[in-house]
Amino acid sequence: MFSEHEVAAEVLELMQKIAQEMNDSLIGLRDRIPEDEWKAYRLGIGAIRGEMLGEITYHIGERYPDLRRKLYGD
């Protein structure tokens, strides 16, 4: 996925920002909505993050090990 390293790096950075925004939304809603709504939302966010990881982030890391190290520190 993404034949140009620079594009892959930009997409990876975007995925990290989106993931952080999703985390922030979970934290921000935690005490504002009923528990059952929050749990449903949390599950939805988890599914989206899993899809991002499996379909985008993982493939970038496989193609560009330096970006994987940047992301995961290994």
Side-chain angles (χ1 to χ4, degrees), residues 2-63:
F2 303 112
S3 59
E4 294 186 30
H5 187 276
E6 182 179 326
V7 172
E10 288 175 23
V11 170
L12 188 60
E13 184 176 323
L14 177 61
M15 294 297 105
Q16 289 176 304
K17 286 178 184 178
I18 291 169
Q20 185 60 53
E21 286 184 23
M22 286 189 277
N23 284 345
D24 292 345
S25 76
L26 282 167
I27 293 166
L29 290 174
R30 178 71 174 106
D31 296 325
R32 296 179 56 210
I33 60 176
E35 182 75 17
D36 60 327
E37 291 178 11
W38 188 80
K39 285 182 180 179
Y41 181 67
R42 184 184 68 192
L43 288 173
I45 291 295
I48 293 167
R49 295 208 48 206
E51 189 74 15
M52 285 173 44
L53 179 65
E55 296 299 324
I56 300 171
T57 307
Y58 175 81
H59 295 292
I60 291 172
E62 284 293 300
R63 184 168 189 145

